[in-house]
Amino acid sequence: MFSKMFDDAPQNDWRDAEKVVLEDFGKTPEELFGVSFTGESGKGVMERTARASASVAQVHWARLASGAEVAIKIQKREIAQQVGWDLWTFKVVAKIYTWLFDIPLYSLVPYISERLLLETDFVNEADNSERMAKLVAGESRLRGRVYIPKVYRELSSKRVMTAEWIEGVRLWDKETLTRPWHGRWREGSPGCKGAPLNPPDRQAVAEIIRSHPLKEHLKPNRDWWKGRNGNGGLGVSLKDCMQTMVDLFSAQMFLWGWCHCDPHPGNIFIRRLPSGKPELVLIDHGLYVHMQPEFRHQYSLLWKSLMTFDNKTIGDIVRAWGINNPDVFASATLMRPYTGGDNSTSAGIKRTMSVKEQQERHYEMQQQMRKGIREILGDEKKWPRELIFIGRNMRIVQGNNQYLGAPVNRLKIMGGWASRSLVDSPDLSYRERLLNFGRHMLFKFVLFSSDVVFYSSKVAQFFGRKSNLEDDMEASMKKVAGDMGFELNHNVFEG
């Protein structure tokens, strides 16, 4: 299901992809990449049939004459016009919603449109990819656990991006991730840590080119680690996979301020390291948001305050952002109802109604709760636009954890990174960082309470309960959203 959702959009004819390369480089694919479609000796090889196709671009496999295997991402020729129409439609719908529901959504249109347009600029994607690779390499807690593919700048443009080919298992394939490893001891899966990949057999390539010139599959099959019967897997822990993922995206939000906003399962590969631990490979770096240091520090402090029920600090931060309802915003941030506030929104409604009146006057309750949504947006001039895409990231990460059975305590991990980032951030003075270190040590004791809830849920699962902690949080949020008059459909974040 997931593979079709993210990688199985109709692919364009090869002649259209060839035209994009010719228009951007003034060279044919054979000239640019040094490949031959006839098996010429001394040249590389390339598949004209796409290995994956999404709405914006399709990806072709190639092995260059140097021996490097690459993923060539070619933008679909019609996408520029299509994106223009899509953004115009989005603008109209936002205008209608603003008028109908008196919710200032239209003011968010310019920022959202700008971010989405950047997804069609592959130079921007290459910049983001290289920046993230440097950040990961400089962070000891992630180095060796996270891998960002190399970009080939000389073979990339605004509509063509050439990057290192990745052999791995997509995050949605739980069975292959967890089945026993049938490879050799202390050996990793193909390509782990950037190791060279074995070349295709030249005779087999020549035969495929001769018999299937336009539907060639030249890339070698590298699933030897599945064993003779093909029923093996990477043999990695789902807990380790999710721990690495939450660590990575927490570092992006709280420590670096460069946040990947499209972490759906199709953009995450898992490889097995020789140690038996998973290596997470993150691809598709088109959609990022940059958090300025002041906002990032505020966001980190907000998360820390949410975990300790520090309502005064929460209120101070969100009101500085032009948000007039801390309770509702806190729930939206945690992806679960926030129980540490004063519940002013719901309490204000129910104070004037008996239980019977609450049931009979559901419409009036919905109107009051919608007012709470308007209060979240509050002063639209102060409201940080970055929160839109940060929220998208968190929802998708929550969905990934939920899909894998909630193997990690996501909120605790994120809270820990939020607190620790106030110690490690180079943007703060040494005095501030020293004070924050003492507070961080105390905060670690506070996080123990979240472990009690998490492991209670795991024990219930062990004794037959079907839902996990993320399922429970989603159900609670749907109930809250229902009281507001909204149907909460989290799938809208996953495309």
Side-chain angles (χ1 to χ4, degrees):
M1 177 184 73
F2 284 110
S3 59
K4 290 187 178 293
M5 183 186 303
F6 297 119
D7 277 335
D8 204 26
Q11 62 178 268
N12 284 6
D13 186 82
W14 168 248
R15 286 168 293 186
D16 290 326
E18 193 174 32
K19 285 178 183 177
V20 172
V21 174
L22 191 59
E23 289 167 359
D24 277 24
F25 293 94
K27 297 179 180 179
T28 65
E30 297 98 308
E31 294 169 333
L32 178 65
F33 300 110
V35 299
S36 169
F37 295 126
T38 59
E40 183 180 345
S41 178
K43 298 279 189 177
V45 291
M46 179 178 178
E47 294 180 348
R48 286 171 284 193
T49 303
R51 283 275 168 171
S53 180
S55 57
V56 173
Q58 59 193 47
V59 177
H60 296 260
W61 173 88
R63 187 175 178 97
L64 307 181
S66 65
E69 288 195 15
V70 294
I72 303 171
K73 183 176 178 180
I74 303 175
Q75 191 173 122
K76 296 179 177 177
R77 296 189 76 220
E78 70 276 8
I79 201 65
Q81 182 178 7
Q82 181 182 323
V83 167
W85 278 110
D86 288 348
L87 291 178
W88 180 84
T89 303
F90 168 63
K91 185 177 180 180
V92 171
V93 170
K95 190 75 171 178
I96 292 171
Y97 266 72
T98 298
W99 177 69
L100 280 178
F101 300 108
D102 191 26
I103 298 176
L105 296 176
Y106 191 73
S107 63
L108 307 178
V109 167
Y111 181 80
I112 295 174
S113 299
E114 179 189 19
R115 294 294 100 193
L116 295 180
L117 274 174
L118 282 174
E119 279 204 271
T120 65
D121 181 355
F122 292 171
V123 174
N124 168 69
E125 180 173 349
D127 290 342
N128 290 335
S129 181
E130 291 181 341
R131 179 184 291 114
M132 189 50 52
K134 289 178 182 177
L135 290 170
V136 168
E139 175 52 61
S140 61
R141 288 168 288 185
L142 294 170
R143 189 169 52 244
R145 299 168 61 205
V146 175
Y147 191 88
I148 308 297
K150 175 185 175 182
V151 176
Y152 291 79
R153 285 283 189 169
E154 69 279 10
L155 303 177
S156 300
S157 67
K158 286 182 71 71
R159 293 189 298 167
V160 177
M161 180 171 160
T162 305
E164 177 183 355
W165 179 266
I166 297 299
E167 293 279 349
V169 177
R170 298 293 180 103
L171 189 69
W172 62 61
D173 193 351
K174 289 189 288 188
E175 290 190 0
T176 305
L177 290 174
T178 56
R179 283 175 182 163
W181 172 254
H182 287 182
R184 290 184 289 273
W185 183 67
R186 301 296 293 178
E187 183 176 32
S189 60
C192 73
K193 292 187 175 182
L197 297 167
N198 61 292
D201 181 83
R202 298 299 298 190
Q203 289 185 341
V205 166
E207 175 60 26
I208 293 171
I209 289 174
R210 185 187 64 79
S211 56
H212 302 285
L214 291 178
K215 290 189 176 181
E216 66 274 79
H217 285 81
L218 310 177
K219 187 181 79 66
N221 186 352
R222 300 186 175 105
D223 60 358
W224 48 264
W225 45 272
K226 291 184 177 181
R228 291 182 180 178
N229 297 325
N231 58 0
L234 292 183
V236 296
S237 159
L238 296 181
K239 180 179 179 180
D240 288 342
C241 293
M242 273 309 307
Q243 178 75 43
T244 299
M245 185 191 305
V246 180
D247 282 343
L248 172 61
F249 294 120
S250 296
Q252 290 183 353
M253 284 183 203
F254 301 121
L255 185 59
W256 303 326
W258 286 98
C259 185
H260 186 299
C261 299
D262 200 17
H264 65 68
N267 286 338
I268 296 170
F269 286 93
I270 302 295
R271 301 190 293 206
R272 179 188 170 101
L273 294 169
S275 64
K277 293 289 186 179
E279 177 184 50
L280 185 148
V281 183
L282 182 64
I283 66 170
D284 197 352
H285 298 265
L287 185 57
Y288 270 71
V289 292
H290 178 217
M291 304 162 69
Q292 294 296 334
E294 181 182 3
F295 171 63
R296 176 168 51 82
H297 298 154
Q298 289 176 327
Y299 194 67
S300 298
L301 184 56
L302 172 71
W303 260 87
K304 185 177 178 180
S305 301
L306 289 170
M307 303 296 288
T308 57
F309 300 137
D310 184 354
N311 297 317
K312 182 182 183 304
T313 301
I314 294 170
D316 290 343
I317 292 171
V318 301
R319 274 186 280 272
W321 292 346
I323 297 169
N324 300 321
N325 194 312
D327 276 5
V328 175
F329 181 75
S331 296
T333 300
L334 291 171
M335 299 288 176
R336 66 176 173 112
Y338 177 63
T339 57
D342 59 10
N343 296 311
S344 56
T345 303
S346 56
I349 297 168
K350 296 178 180 179
R351 236 191 330 263
T352 58
M353 299 183 188
S354 66
V355 173
K356 184 178 180 180
E357 286 174 327
Q358 290 175 31
Q359 295 171 346
E360 293 175 348
R361 297 174 61 188
H362 189 62
Y363 174 77
E364 286 83 351
M365 289 180 69
Q366 291 177 348
Q367 295 300 105
Q368 290 292 328
M369 294 299 271
R370 281 179 180 145
K371 179 183 176 184
I373 296 294
R374 289 196 295 272
E375 289 176 343
I376 284 184
L377 294 175
D379 187 342
E380 55 195 90
K381 293 180 181 178
K382 295 181 181 179
W383 204 81
R385 271 45 175 176
E386 298 88 345
L387 290 171
I388 301 167
F389 290 103
I390 291 170
R392 171 189 167 90
N393 172 292
M394 288 197 301
R395 168 51 201 156
I396 297 175
V397 172
Q398 182 198 23
N400 292 340
N401 193 36
Q402 185 176 357
Y403 174 70
L404 296 182
V408 299
N409 186 347
R410 178 179 56 87
L411 296 182
K412 178 189 175 183
I413 297 169
M414 293 185 70
W417 274 92
S419 179
R420 181 70 200 193
S421 71
L422 295 171
V423 179
D424 297 335
S425 177
D427 306 293
L428 296 173
S429 69
Y430 284 109
R431 181 178 180 278
E432 288 177 299
R433 292 167 67 178
L434 184 60
L435 289 172
N436 287 336
F437 178 76
R439 294 166 183 154
H440 174 68
M441 299 308 293
L442 291 173
F443 179 69
K444 293 181 73 172
F445 286 102
V446 174
L447 289 179
F448 175 74
S449 61
S450 72
D451 267 340
V452 173
V453 176
F454 175 73
Y455 286 110
S456 296
S457 175
K458 299 302 285 185
V459 169
Q461 280 184 268
F462 178 79
F463 285 106
R465 187 180 181 185
K466 293 183 179 179
S467 63
N468 58 54
L469 186 60
E470 297 283 14
D471 292 328
D472 295 340
M473 287 193 286
E474 179 173 320
S476 298
M477 281 301 292
K478 284 183 175 180
K479 183 178 184 303
V480 170
D483 288 340
M484 295 182 185
F486 297 102
E487 180 180 353
L488 192 63
N489 182 3
H490 281 155
N491 291 332
V492 299
F493 292 104
E494 294 174 356

